[in-house]
Amino acid sequence: MAGATGRKISAAAARAHTRKSKPSSFRLPSGIFQKLLLVSSIGILAWAYQAIQPPQTKIPGSPGGPSVTAPRIKFRDGRHLAYKEHGAPKDAAKFKIVYVHCFDSCRHDAVVENIFPQKIIDDLGVYVVSFDRPGYGQSDPDPKRTTKSIALDIEELADQLGLGSKFYIVGYSIGGQIVWSCIKYIPHRLAGAALLAPVINYWWPGFPANMSTEAYNQMPQRNQWALRVAHYASWLTYWWNTQKLFPPSSVVTASPDVYSPSDKKIIAQYIRETPAEVRQQAQFEVRQQGEFESLHRDLMISFGTWEFTPMDLESPFPNNEGTIHVWQGDDDMLVPVTMQRFISQQLPWIQYHELPEYGHAFPYANGMSDVITKVLLLGETAK
């Protein structure tokens, strides 16, 4: 019979044939997981580093930067400061005033025109110079800016413009806060000063703890966080105010929520009465260099750690040869009136003027200019 008998297979061979093969196991080379983790961590850190870095500042007059059209002085360190002159001719003026603008503003600040209208200038013979603080408008940024350096900038501005041995200084909001630095570092140059709603640093030592905490907690949460970042982690200020995960400061975004009802009425009236081209000129220049060296630098310095506190200051006029005035609205939603009162109570040489039912925008109110100017320059009593 053809091929009837098959080939015999041994039992051992049968067992080997039916035995299941072991699955092959793939293993990463030794240490590769740690290397992948390290590379991923470096990538995340590099991305985070890039995210917190502000863009290059567009320095006026540099390639790609804003053009320079304003008169400027040059400091010893090479920086330029743009300024604008108002009022009576400098050489004939009876009173010479340096004006320090507020947050998110510039030398074109409308407060100057409002506080020093033509009639006041003509009647009293007032010369006013306003200037772009570093990083604003057409003034070069100052990455090394401190509470002291800005006061020295003002002194050098006065010297280069030939304002004499003494001059008056008026500052609004953060500009008012800067006047404290002038009282500290250049008191011998001051003939008098007016601080209009000067911003308060919640971390200045000397406040009762419950007062600071209560005033701080009255702010919107988004502003609390923005100031907290500026104080404790200033290197994150740019990122915090540009990221999209959390709401940034409502002051940086110019939200109307920061204004009281009286402020909104005053601002609405100002808009109605001020030509659009005047307002647009100021708005165009303010942030043209970018926001970091202007707005964000303001936050880092104003709410950072100071070298002094206003409560420790001594009068620059021990013989009553000049006066210092603080003006504050009691309905101010940006600067807590309770803390402003406390500062003035600690400084008996301060003449404190609290304005009932006014908010932060009171310098724009009709008629306020006559009062502020005549009280400062002529010693008249505020009514």
Side-chain angles (χ1 to χ4, degrees), residues 83-105:
Y83 64 91
K84 180 179 180 181
E85 295 176 295
H86 317 254
K90 182 170 50 183
D91 295 336
K94 298 177 183 177
F95 303 98
K96 297 171 184 177
I97 300 174
V98 176
Y99 174 76
V100 192
H101 69 74
C102 62
F103 184 82
D104 201 10
S105 188

Side-chain angles (χ1 to χ4, degrees), residues 33-77:
F33 178 76
Q34 290 86 345
K35 292 178 181 178
L36 287 173
L37 182 61
L38 178 61
V39 170
S40 298
S41 300
I42 292 174
I44 292 172
L45 289 174
W47 171 84
Y49 177 78
Q50 290 297 325
I52 66 176
Q53 296 304 303
Q56 189 73 25
T57 301
K58 300 176 182 177
I59 299 176
S62 66
S67 59
V68 176
T69 59
R72 305 199 302 176
I73 64 167
K74 186 175 182 179
F75 290 133
R76 288 185 292 270
D77 63 5

Side-chain angles (χ1 to χ4, degrees), residues 46 77 178 184 199 203 211 216 252 254 275 289 344 362 364 370:
D77 63 5
I178 289 170
K184 168 69 175 178
V199 165
W203 290 272
M211 178 182 291
Y216 187 82
V252 172
Q289 297 185 49
S344 297
F362 72 82
Y364 294 94
D370 288 352

Side-chain angles (χ1 to χ4, degrees), residues 256-279:
D257 296 342
V258 300
Y259 294 113
S260 68
S262 64
D263 285 336
K264 293 175 182 177
K265 291 180 182 178
I266 291 172
I267 293 172
Q269 183 176 9
Y270 161 73
I271 292 174
R272 287 195 304 269
E273 297 176 353
T274 306
E277 59 270 19
V278 175
R279 291 185 280 109

